[in-house]
Structure formats: structure tokens, C-alpha cells
Amino acid sequence: KPLVFSGMQPSGDLHLGNYLGALVNWVRMQETHDTIFCVVDMHAITVWQDPAALQKAIREVTAAYIASGIDPERSILFNQSQVHEHAELAWVFNCVARIGWMNRMTQFKDKAGKDKENASLGLFAYPSLMAADILAYRATHVPVGEDQKQHLELTRDIAIKFNNDYAERIAALGHGDAFFPVTEPVISGPATRVMSLRDGTKKMSKSDPSDYSRINLVDDADTIAQKVRKARTDPEALPSEEAGLKGRAEADNLVGIFAALSGRTKADILAEFGGGQFSGFKSALADLAVAKLSPITMEMKRLVSDPAEIDRILARGSERARAIARPVMDQVKDIVGFIRS
Ligand code: ATP
Ligand code: MG
């Protein structure tokens, strides 16, 4: 079976974008692939995280994975910092990747903002650690949202350059002509880019300072209804056909979310709600979101009430992950020319 790796940062509450853009695909891929899902805590600290809040968020993200349908027996489920091979391989990749490659990364530009000199070095090197996360398992498929496409291209570039730089050594050690696979991004599913409820030009993000910009998996029914009601729209009525959504980012986003949650097409949704005001559509959307998310929310609450059990799941997953990553890292050390005991 092909091997899948993916992860999310415990940098806040998981939201509808994380769910529709990634988690739904993860759950589905458990049927057809060997799957490894990580809570990437080392990525989270590339921007400041309060330590107590970080520990809580790691457990919550783990609970959200399980509540959404990730089975910790079938999949390997763990947190990144427990498997030190990620950090070790990231260092090697820091020496393979070029500064010029990193300079082109739009996520760094977005997250560093205007004061780039004051961003952490870790935030700049983020894609190199992400390449290590994936390639420590020599995973071939990575299901992510659209925003991660550029980082996955960089992962491919790192794998190709490593394979080229060490080609002779890789062949001499019996690995053939490539040690690392060239990973395929899997960007598909109900909604690959869910936008902020406050600004249709920005993606929905955990790190957006406005909680009204997103629907969180932990939000209760009243909060969801209020956020949808307050979601930004334009003064026009909803169009009856999809072409009418052009140039109306906020309307397009809400219709897209409705379609994704209901498993229907946008055209179908507009045939029902087109010509009407946003208020009626919004209350139907809120009801739909509550119906879809409340079973997940309830299961998450149940799971986080037993943090020791979550910690046991993560420890067990980390052991299973390390069993795969350690021999890969040993081989990398041999390829690079380190001496190990
Ligand atoms: P942060 O703001 O801290 O970066 P985030 O919301 O972007 O948080 P990540 O942990 O960085 O979440 O990403 C986890 C996964 O969710 C990735 O696969 C990413 O592509 C996907 N994802 C994030 N935001 C969206 C979105 N708005 N729509 C679809 N997929 C998304
Ligand atoms: Mg992100």
C-alpha cells in the first residue's frame, strides 16, 4: 500500500478549513493507504505559543483527529516532538535546501508580516522541517489543503537534490538511483481552500486573531449560528447560477462551504437558494454546520476529559513512528558520511 503522511499544527483550535481541506481526506485514505498522522508541535513553536496552551492544544488536535474518524490502531497517530528523527533529518535538509528556495515561500511572507527581520529562524526553515516530516517515512502521498502546495513542491525539490547530491553514495550503498521518493501532493476533496468568514480574500486560519473569521470544531451551536450570521457578504441577492458568484468571494465561499458540508454541488445549492436574501441561506447553513459538526464536537469533549489516555495514544503512536523513521535516519547518516555507533 502507498504510504500517506500528513499533519496539523497545535497552534489553536481546528476549524472547518482544516476539516474539509484535509481531515475528511485523511479519514477516507485510511481505507486505501497506510497512514501516518502527526500533531506537528515543533512547527507550532515557529511562532510564539504559551507552553500550557500548547500542551492543551496538542491533546485537543489529537482528540479532533480521533473524533473525526482517525483510528489510532489503523493509523499511526503521534506528536512530532516525540520522534527526534524529524529534527535530525530537518537539519540535513537545511543543508540541502537553498536560501533562495526559502525566500520564495509565500507562507513565510504572510506569517512574518512586515517585520521580517524579527521572525524566528524556525519560521523561515519551516518547509525544510515539513520535508523531513514526510521523508522520514519516505511517504509518497501527502493530503493537504491548497495553501500547502508550494511547500510540497519544495519537499520534492529537496528529495531530488538529496538524491542527486549523494547519487554515487546512494548507489554504492545499494539504494539504486534514488533514496527519497518524489512525493505527490493530494489536494482534493470537498473544499481545498476555505476562506475567512471576515475576508473572502484570506484563507480561514487558526492563527487569524479574529475568532469570527472561522468556525471551530469546538464551537457550540449558538456560536456557529452567530458566526455564520455575522459572516461578511455583499448587498446583492444570491445568484441562481454558479457564474454569478464570480467576483463575489464571500458569497462564493459560503456557497462552497454549504456544498462541501452537504455533499451537493454549488449549482444545486444555488438552484435552491438563488434569488433569495442571505439571511435565509445563512440560517440553513448554520443548521447544516451544527448538524455535521456537533457529533465531532461531542466526541472531542469526551476524549479531552481523559488527557492521560490521549498521552498514552500519542506515546504508543510515537513508538510505532520511530520504528519506521529510525532506520531511514540511520541510512541517511551513512549516505551523508556520518559515523554512528
Ligand atoms: P496556522 O494559521 O497556524 O498556520 P492553519 O489553519 O493554516 O493554522 P495548519 O495546521 O497550518 O492550519 O494546516 C493543517 C492542514 O489544514 C493543512 O493540510 C492545510 O493545508 C489545511 N488547511 C489550513 N487552512 C485551510 C483552509 N482554509 N482551507 C482548506 N485547507 C486548509
Ligand atoms: Mg497553516
Side-chain angles (χ1 to χ4, degrees):
K1 279 193 213 170
L3 183 62
V4 161
F5 178 95
S6 199
M8 299 203 189
Q9 303 182 71
S11 48
D13 294 324
L14 293 194
H15 52 74
L16 204 56
N18 301 133
Y19 180 70
L20 294 172
L23 255 174
V24 169
N25 286 335
W26 297 8
V27 172
R28 199 172 41 76
M29 290 179 101
Q30 289 183 117
E31 309 293 332
T32 46
H33 296 68
D34 285 328
T35 41
I36 306 178
F37 298 117
C38 189
V39 181
V40 289
D41 46 10
M42 287 158 63
H43 280 287
I45 63 163
T46 56
V47 299
W48 169 252
Q49 305 293 336
D50 172 76
L54 180 60
Q55 287 191 324
K56 188 162 170 275
I58 294 169
R59 295 187 182 112
E60 276 178 4
V61 171
T62 308
Y65 287 3
I66 298 170
S68 301
I70 300 300
D71 174 355
E73 294 302 319
R74 192 151 25 143
S75 294
I76 297 179
L77 197 175
F78 72 109
N79 62 312
Q80 188 184 26
S81 61
Q82 289 203 50
V83 181
H84 55 67
E85 283 74 10
H86 291 244
E88 279 187 281
L89 187 56
W91 182 259
V92 174
F93 288 169
N94 280 344
C95 302
V96 172
R98 305 289 91 182
I99 288 175
W101 300 0
M102 298 294 166
N103 277 334
R104 289 192 285 275
M105 295 295 116
T106 57
Q107 177 176 288
F108 177 74
K109 288 177 197 165
D110 291 345
K111 288 201 171 175
K114 287 201 168 56
D115 192 8
K116 294 206 175 22
E117 296 288 307
N118 202 30
S120 76
L121 188 54
L123 187 65
F124 188 65
Y126 184 114
S128 178
L129 176 59
M130 181 164 155
D133 297 336
I134 297 162
L135 295 174
Y137 306 92
R138 297 202 276 187
T140 52
H141 294 76
V142 184
V144 287
E146 220 250 344
D147 62 295
Q148 291 302 315
K149 189 164 181 254
Q150 192 185 34
H151 287 165
L152 283 175
E153 276 158 13
L154 194 113
T155 297
R156 294 161 66 92
D157 291 340
I158 288 177
I160 291 167
K161 188 166 188 295
F162 182 94
N163 289 340
N164 282 338
D165 288 353
Y166 294 102
E168 266 178 46
R169 186 92 175 155
I170 287 169
L173 289 169
H175 302 298
D177 58 5
F179 182 72
F180 287 119
V182 180
T183 303
E184 285 296 330
V186 180
I187 301 170
S188 65
T192 56
R193 187 174 179 83
V194 177
M195 307 309 281
S196 158
L197 299 182
R198 307 300 295 164
D199 177 351
T201 65
K202 282 197 332 208
K203 82 165 190 76
M204 191 178 278
S205 287
K206 280 186 243 109
S207 55
D208 191 314
S210 166
D211 196 52
Y212 276 89
S213 70
R214 60 183 164 263
I215 294 172
N216 300 314
L217 298 187
V218 292
D219 285 345
D220 60 28
D222 288 346
T223 309
I224 292 178
Q226 203 181 18
K227 285 178 173 177
V228 174
R229 202 162 49 239
K230 289 200 171 176
R232 190 166 150 185
T233 44
D234 54 48
E236 308 290 315
L238 275 163
S240 303
E241 284 173 13
E242 220 181 315
L245 290 171
K246 214 168 174 297
R248 298 177 66 184
E250 283 86 9
D252 192 8
N253 187 42
L254 293 181
V255 174
I257 291 173
F258 200 119
L261 283 173
S262 60
R264 293 162 61 189
T265 63
K266 284 195 208 174
D268 197 24
I269 309 301
L270 291 175
E272 183 180 341
F273 292 98
Q277 293 305 314
F278 275 101
S279 52
F281 169 76
K282 279 181 165 178
S283 77
L285 176 57
D287 289 347
L288 175 64
V290 169
K292 287 283 166 188
L293 297 183
S294 64
I296 298 175
T297 312
M298 271 161 44
E299 179 62 2
M300 267 183 78
K301 289 216 170 97
R302 193 186 67 78
L303 290 163
V304 293
S305 70
D306 188 356
E309 174 59 14
I310 293 192
D311 293 359
R312 271 194 295 277
I313 290 171
L314 290 173
R316 171 79 191 112
S318 300
E319 263 174 47
R320 291 169 67 197
R322 206 176 306 122
I324 304 173
R326 190 190 291 125
V328 173
M329 193 61 219
D330 283 349
Q331 287 165 343
V332 168
K333 287 180 177 173
D334 293 343
I335 291 167
V336 168
F338 293 164
I339 290 172
R340 60 186 175 89
S341 55

